[in-house]
Amino acid sequence: MELEHSSRTRLEQLALQQGLGLSEFKREFDTQATAFGFANLVPLSTSAAQRWLRGVAVPRDSARRVLELWFGEHISVLTGPPLEKILTRTEQELAVNAAHESVSHAIAAAAALDPSALEHLHAAADKAARAYYTTPTMEMLTDLVALRNLIYVQMDRTRKPLQAADLYLLAGQTCGLLSSVSWDLGLLGAADEQARAAYSYGCAIDHPSLKAWARALQVTASFWAGTPRQAHKIAAAALPDAPRGTARARLHSVNARALALVGAHDEVREELDSASTELERAGADAFLDDIGGELAFDLPRRGLCAGAAYVVLGDGERAEQEAQAAVALFAEVPDSNRWGAGALSAQVDLGAARTLRGDLAGAADALAGVFKVEPSKRTEAVAQRLNALAKTLGTARFRGAAEAIELGAKIEDFTTISLARTAAVRALPPA
């Protein structure tokens, strides 16, 4: 018996999209189980496969984990109703490729690099910066690599200093965005390389805002990589030359994160206060503020850094105040402009802060929405925050507590199918 063409569950819908009949589905499940380290599972029976696909039975334990890893979606989604019809992968790729080809052809059509070509590139780069907050990470990666390569091609088409400087600015902006995307995927080495490339372009054209932004990205990659002292050195060296306002606010905030990791309580507070002061001056930077998106830095992001810093310092009271404020500030931003990964991170920090205060029920409440997020939105920053929380829950203070055990299990389930673990990440081209 083969699968019917009308899907009754999301699982059956995905199987049909992959061209899997019932027998193929069974064979592929056994193959995936072996690949994911569940070789001891009993081969999938026809009756069990039929019950799963029809939604009359829910896979348990290891079988559930295999399906989640295979399809990259939570079991509650897989056993639920099929999603509404969307463009097939082939049609999506066709539409995206057609748009890229149109822009590429429009730029190449000129006998020489003219203002309209640069206008196209600026529009694409600015759109990418603003789309970062809401666009799936793998889609962003594909678009940014294509845009960066197109910019590189145009660099060889002009010897005019002003045009070359414009292209260097675009290259720096795109490499900086690739740094953020690389970190979302858990690729810290690539994130650091892209940030350094962005800084080099900024130096080549002496662009203070680009240089400050790139240095802040380097600081972020460095403290997440476990080298907070190096991160602090980068931030401290960059601050004197950074423009006032947004550029300095970001550097002060990420510097606070780095300083927290070395236990510098007073310095953390000073850096966060300085970030607040700089945000009062923000809004006039033609690069960071006018383009916005991932280039911008605002009160919600400053609050996110503050909450995370105080969690690391073990100051549950201040961490809860800052994280709760960040959650509220993110909630005020319209969905179309909200940094989803940042909002989730603030919720995790709130859960961690409440855990530090011994309020496990409050922590569970803060994390309830986080655990429902689909794998494609489980960025590395969110996953690493949860991993750190799991270590706290595993300490002697919470040993034997039912709430701690339950939260620990949910964190393990969440991080097992995080973006970095489930995305088919191809090697990034060198910066």
Side-chain angles (χ1 to χ4, degrees), residues 1 22 26 44-51:
M1 175 181 177
L22 184 58
K26 289 168 51 186
L44 180 60
S45 68
T46 299
S47 59
Q50 287 175 331
R51 290 195 299 271

Side-chain angles (χ1 to χ4, degrees), residues 115-396:
S116 67
L118 287 170
E119 184 180 324
H120 279 298
L121 292 172
H122 273 294
D126 294 355
K127 179 182 177 182
R130 290 186 284 266
Y132 170 79
Y133 282 173
T134 57
T135 303
T137 302
M138 292 306 297
E139 183 180 331
M140 280 296 303
L141 174 64
T142 301
D143 290 349
L144 286 170
V145 170
L147 175 60
R148 188 207 59 177
N149 291 345
L150 182 57
I151 291 168
Y152 285 172
V153 169
Q154 300 315 306
M155 285 181 175
D156 295 330
R157 300 188 64 205
T158 184
R159 293 295 180 266
K160 295 182 178 181
L162 290 178
Q163 288 189 339
D166 222 6
L167 289 167
Y168 272 45
L169 176 61
L170 287 163
Q173 180 178 331
T174 307
C175 287
L177 293 172
L178 278 168
S179 176
S180 294
V181 170
S182 298
W183 164 230
D184 288 340
L185 292 167
L187 304 173
L188 278 170
D192 180 65
E193 287 183 5
Q194 297 288 0
R196 284 190 283 109
Y199 179 73
S200 295
Y201 288 122
C203 289
I205 59 175
D206 193 21
H207 196 292
S209 296
L210 174 56
K211 290 193 293 183
W213 178 56
R215 283 306 200 202
L217 294 172
Q218 272 189 274
V219 173
T220 301
S222 188
F223 70 66
W224 277 114
T227 54
R229 289 177 176 81
Q230 176 63 20
H232 167 60
K233 289 180 181 178
I234 296 171
L239 274 164
D241 296 327
R244 290 191 175 279
T246 299
R248 289 195 182 186
R250 189 171 194 145
L251 280 166
H252 281 302
S253 296
V254 294
N255 194 25
R257 298 278 307 271
L259 288 165
L261 289 165
V262 297
H265 292 72
D266 293 340
E267 290 86 347
V268 166
R269 193 159 48 250
E270 291 171 3
E271 288 298 287
L272 292 172
D273 288 344
S274 295
S276 297
T277 299
E278 291 297 338
L279 282 175
E280 293 176 0
R281 304 186 179 112
D285 193 301
F287 179 64
L288 302 174
D289 295 320
D290 288 359
I291 294 174
E294 172 59 0
L295 275 66
F297 194 86
D298 51 16
L299 285 172
R301 296 189 71 155
R302 181 262 173 212
L304 176 63
C305 287
Y310 285 123
V311 165
V312 170
L313 290 172
D315 188 337
E317 184 175 347
R318 282 183 176 164
E320 183 171 14
Q321 291 173 355
E322 293 284 3
Q324 201 154 27
V327 169
L329 287 167
F330 275 117
E332 292 175 2
V333 180
D335 291 348
S336 58
N337 297 324
R338 185 187 303 133
W339 182 29
L344 286 175
S345 294
Q347 287 180 267
V348 177
D349 290 342
L350 180 57
R354 289 174 175 173
T355 299
L356 289 171
R357 294 180 55 249
D359 180 10
L360 292 182
D365 182 64
L367 296 170
V370 175
F371 293 136
K372 297 176 182 178
V373 172
E374 60 189 82
S376 65
K377 296 181 180 178
R378 301 179 184 185
T379 63
E380 189 67 2
V382 175
Q384 290 299 331
R385 278 173 159 86
L386 284 170
N387 284 333
L389 175 55
K391 291 180 181 178
T392 301
L393 291 167
T395 59

Side-chain angles (χ1 to χ4, degrees), residues 26-52:
K26 289 168 51 186
R27 285 197 300 272
E28 185 62 23
F29 176 86
D30 293 337
T31 300
Q32 294 287 342
T34 300
F36 289 125
F38 296 95
N40 294 329
L41 271 179
V42 176
L44 180 60
S45 68
T46 299
S47 59
Q50 287 175 331
R51 290 195 299 271
W52 295 353

